[in-house]
Amino acid sequence: MTGAGSVVALVLIEWSAGWIGAAAWSQSWNVISRGHFRITAAGTLAIAVLGALALRAASTSGVAEGLVTAFAIASVIYLLIEYLGTNAAGAVIGAVTAVAGAATLVVAAGSIAGWNQVLAAVELIVGAAFLGAVTNGMMLGHWYLNQPGLKPWALARLTDLSLLATAAAALGGVAAVRLLAGASTTGAALGLPGFGASFGIGFFVVWAVLMVFTGAVVVGARRCIQIRSIQSATGLYYVALLTAGVAEFLVRYLMVNAK
């Protein structure tokens, strides 16, 4: 897998799978009303379908293409269950759908040149958890306006997951620093010469700064929740989602261009 199409495909599948997985976990608590999960299911379905189309265009693995198709179909079922089933059914189908997305990432990892499949798969899975947790935190923060009786501990629990996922994604990138910082990015930044023949090191430093900043913002959101300022926490989650998204696209760009 190479090129911009592969970067887009990987990030979209990470995002949708992680978002569904974190949503399934929170639905299992049986305290958040169904409307939240219906919105989540619609959003994740759109991203999963786009990710499936992008992966099928970029992948050289028939197995990955089959799995991503199954993931997209499972996302449709997940949306239907949110309207026709129970919270328990939604949590189970959501978890199964997230596993299908994770399996797609694991298989796709084997098509990324220059990477050990296990290391690449771990990178993608922790990235999915990272994007999924932050997205769920932002979405749930908004939902408090629609469900005033919802207790702050629900968002606090997702925020703890966001912190853990951010740390895991950061550690994953540091563990692969040789590959990521050594990525061939000739022609990046309007074709200007970079550090030697590549901007790889510079881009890796930018990614690291974004990860630290995202972690600090999520810590701030956690503090806002502790003082019951849910909408302040939601505002911080907006920032965290923006920086997390940029960081994830950047690190996947380095990943597919690693030597």
Side-chain angles (χ1 to χ4, degrees):
M1 297 179 67
T2 59
S6 296
V7 175
V8 172
L10 291 172
V11 174
L12 289 179
I13 296 168
E14 284 181 83
W15 190 10
S16 51
W19 189 356
I20 293 173
W25 180 51
S26 61
Q27 190 165 15
S28 71
W29 309 337
N30 205 33
V31 296
I32 305 168
S33 60
R34 297 297 293 282
H36 169 72
F37 299 107
R38 289 168 181 168
I39 294 170
T40 291
T44 54
L45 173 58
I47 297 172
V49 169
L50 291 173
L53 293 173
L55 186 66
R56 289 182 68 86
S59 176
T60 58
S61 168
V63 176
E65 292 175 15
L67 283 170
V68 80
T69 300
F71 173 54
I73 293 171
S75 297
V76 174
I77 297 172
Y78 175 55
L79 176 60
L80 293 175
I81 287 295
E82 293 302 345
Y83 282 92
L84 303 175
T86 63
N87 270 335
V92 171
I93 298 300
V96 170
T97 304
V99 169
T104 301
L105 293 171
V106 170
V107 173
S111 299
I112 303 174
W115 283 78
N116 173 277
Q117 184 173 4
V118 173
L119 178 59
V122 170
E123 291 282 319
L124 295 174
I125 296 300
V126 296
F130 175 45
L131 285 178
V134 172
T135 304
N136 268 278
M138 187 271 288
M139 294 293 292
L140 184 59
H142 282 291
W143 194 249
Y144 277 80
L145 296 173
N146 297 296
Q147 189 180 342
L150 183 59
K151 300 299 183 183
W153 67 258
L155 185 57
R157 188 176 288 182
L158 272 176
T159 303
D160 289 340
L161 176 63
S162 296
L163 288 171
L164 288 173
T166 302
L171 289 173
V174 171
V177 60
R178 183 184 62 81
L179 286 166
L180 295 172
S184 176
T185 58
T186 303
L190 304 178
L192 299 175
F195 296 85
S198 172
F199 275 87
I201 295 175
F203 286 157
F204 182 83
V205 170
V206 171
W207 168 82
V209 170
L210 286 170
M211 293 300 294
V212 171
F213 183 79
T214 303
V217 170
V218 176
V219 169
R222 187 68 172 86
R223 175 56 183 159
C224 288
I225 297 165
Q226 289 174 337
I227 61 174
R228 305 180 72 86
S229 182
I230 299 299
Q231 292 313 303
S232 295
T234 305
L236 288 173
Y237 261 114
Y238 266 115
V239 179
L241 182 57
L242 175 62
T243 56
V246 173
E248 201 60 27
F249 270 104
L250 183 54
V251 77
R252 294 305 154 237
Y253 170 73
L254 294 175
M255 187 177 193
V256 301
N257 286 286
K259 297 178 180 178

